[in-house]
Amino acid sequence: MISVVLAAYKGEKYIYAQVESILKQLGENDELIISDDFPSGKTKESISELMSRDKRIVYINGPGRGVVANFELAISEARGDFIFLSDQDDVWLEGKVERVVRELEGGADLVLHNADITDGELNKTGETSFELNRTKTGLFNNIIKNSYQGCCMAFRSELKKFILPFPKKLPMHDQWIGLMAEKHGRVSLIDEPLILYRRHGGNVTGGGSGILTKIKWRAEIIFAVLGR
């Protein structure tokens, strides 16, 4: 069984196209968990038609404490053997699930794949996420400079016992999940872009930070990694 966990927040502009692209690739017993961190908004309304005819969509109210806590909740609710992370505004390319599952079934505990970066209208910029992030594996490498991008990740459910609960004051969820996979399992990279990563100026991310804050985050995450 596959679980896709999607953390939503004011996602009404793009989420319909994303949900459509995901559902096309799931089996009848799989699930798409949408945790909405702004349930009083228009996200649910924008996908109500899809929800009414597809019972694989599981809609839940998010905790209302930001994207990291929202993903933590969604992951905790996932029932699948393989857990895919999803943002609300990208589009999955045909064959993504099949390609990633093949890698997981081949022995990987976590898969990180490439993405084509686009503008808000899905026009490719010519960049990929691997190029932009200078992606590479390794525990130390990814403490110093994170390569892990949640929207391009999937992992075995067995990792949940190391991942959850998230450490307090975690700046972003994807680096933590990647580091736990580096420490406790095997990571596989797929160089092929498997999603269109939409950059439109309104993406929900961890935001910028100063050098002292970054040093503090790295120290905290080192202690967290050592503790798990």
Side-chain angles (χ1 to χ4, degrees), residues 210-222:
I211 185 65
L212 292 178
T213 299
K214 290 180 179 178
I215 291 171
K216 182 174 180 288
W217 280 347
R218 279 164 178 74
E220 289 175 348
I221 209 161
I222 288 169

Side-chain angles (χ1 to χ4, degrees), residues 2 20-26 84 91-104 111 113-114 154 190 192-196:
I2 291 169
E20 264 198 326
S21 75
I22 293 169
L23 292 175
K24 289 176 183 176
Q25 302 190 43
L26 298 185
F84 285 68
V91 171
W92 287 16
L93 296 174
E94 185 177 351
K96 165 181 160 128
V97 169
E98 180 183 3
R99 178 69 181 88
V100 172
V101 166
R102 189 161 70 243
E103 204 73 18
L104 290 167
V111 176
H113 66 72
N114 208 350
I190 298 176
E192 178 187 356
L194 297 178
I195 69 168
L196 301 177

